[in-house]
Amino acid sequence: MSAAPKPIDDIGLWFQAFLQPTVLIELGVLLLAGFLAWGIATLARRSLSLQDNHGSVFFGRRVIDGALFPILLLCLAYVARALLVQSMPMAVMRIAIPVLVSLVVIRVGVKVLQIAFKQAPWVRALERTISWLAWLAMVLWVSGLLPVLLAELEQVSWKVGSSTMNLRTVIEGTITAGAVLILALWVSSAIESRLLRNVVGSELSMRKAVSNATRALLVFVGLIAALSAVGIDLTALSVLGGAVGVGIGFGLQKLASNYVSGFVILAERSMRIGDNVRVDNFEGRITDINARYTLIRSATGRESIVPNETLITTRVENLSLADNRQWQSTVVSVSYESDVELVMRLLLEAASSQPRVLKDPGPSVALSAFGADGLEFTVGYWLSDPENGLLNLRSQINMAILASLRQHGIDIPYPQRVVHLRQAT
């Protein structure tokens, strides 16, 4: 926009501009620009195969859901305005362009926040705040009151040390910082999506570390750039930086230790997303490694949030560091009169019949003990998918063993005790 409109002095004259015949031409041109923007966005979605893409800022669930459609419409409206402004007075375009600018700001801000913070409860309130501020700025611009309001805000000033600040500078600085942060989150989310696409295992953990470091760096650089753009002297933040350093050294050392430990875990790849680990008698599969904590999900569905410092300073059993194979066993007792070779063959067949049991190395059967009530056999086997459950596989093997032993008439003993009663003389 080349110049701000003058404040409204006569509402009647302002609405009278919409009664001119040229308004129909503006509406037709704006409608044509909408069709062109919709067509270009549709072709882009189909050519890039991005239908129903929830994780994209430009392309959403539908054509008009992403930010690409309002951006294209805004650009086409600017071009149309530049071509028509020399030949006719503008009425519709004076309102349409600020509305489209507000729509682009809302759509980009909301989509970036939804992608960067998918499940954060405060995102919805921040989205509403961005929408209200954008529409308020649009109304003030169209009515011509925005320059007047900014001039009044500039008169509200105060002195901080050797520098003088005013309310307009604070508001502009806040908006600039928010815009820079949204841009930084947008870039970091795009990098994270590209790095983590179709990646598993150790490579996933390493790329997760690179993604977290990139996001932190971009946000930090964005804040510095926003403060510089507003005119804040960054040397004045040295005292604040020293205070933060002292706070980290004393009160925030645990928090800082967790963040540093998280980057160490992701960098050295001693534990990776997807590994089965045992920490403090809690066994499960690592589902996510964040900067501060690691999320472990057990086979029963419970989730444990473990601080990263705990994973660095305490003993952790990684059951998947070498490979994903895990050994499991079950114990079976039979009577002493049973055929040992037949029992061992039946137990081996029952374990081998389960598809989840590995063939290499295959299952094994051993006469492990002479029990008080019968012979005890230990059936050992390997599996490669412990995340699908351990107890269910053991149950299936035990049921197959029980059916096989009953079919061949082999008794499973139960404890028996002989009680001698003495008669009193």
Side-chain angles (χ1 to χ4, degrees), residues 328-332 346-358 363-365 378-383 390-405:
Q328 195 179 28
S329 64
T330 184
V331 179
V332 180
L346 295 178
L347 296 180
L348 189 62
E349 291 176 354
S352 302
S353 64
Q354 300 301 319
R356 291 180 58 192
V357 175
L358 297 180
S364 61
V365 179
T378 300
V379 183
Y381 49 91
W382 291 86
L383 65 153
L390 300 176
L391 185 61
N392 55 356
L393 178 58
R394 179 178 290 164
S395 174
Q396 293 171 0
I397 292 177
N398 287 337
M399 292 175 62
I401 291 173
L402 181 61
S404 181
L405 294 179

Side-chain angles (χ1 to χ4, degrees), residues 113-136:
L113 291 175
Q114 289 177 351
I115 294 173
F117 309 100
K118 296 180 181 179
Q119 298 180 350
W122 48 267
V123 171
R124 182 70 62 181
L126 192 57
E127 291 174 1
R128 295 195 185 98
T129 303
I130 294 175
S131 301
W132 280 104
L133 290 178
W135 290 124
L136 178 62

Side-chain angles (χ1 to χ4, degrees), residues 101-150:
V101 170
S102 300
L103 184 60
V104 169
V105 171
I106 294 172
R107 192 61 53 83
V108 171
V110 168
K111 293 297 260 182
V112 169
L113 291 175
Q114 289 177 351
I115 294 173
F117 309 100
K118 296 180 181 179
Q119 298 180 350
W122 48 267
V123 171
R124 182 70 62 181
L126 192 57
E127 291 174 1
R128 295 195 185 98
T129 303
I130 294 175
S131 301
W132 280 104
L133 290 178
W135 290 124
L136 178 62
M138 181 273 298
V139 172
L140 292 175
W141 178 267
V142 170
S143 63
L145 297 177
L146 184 59
V148 178
L149 180 62
L150 292 177

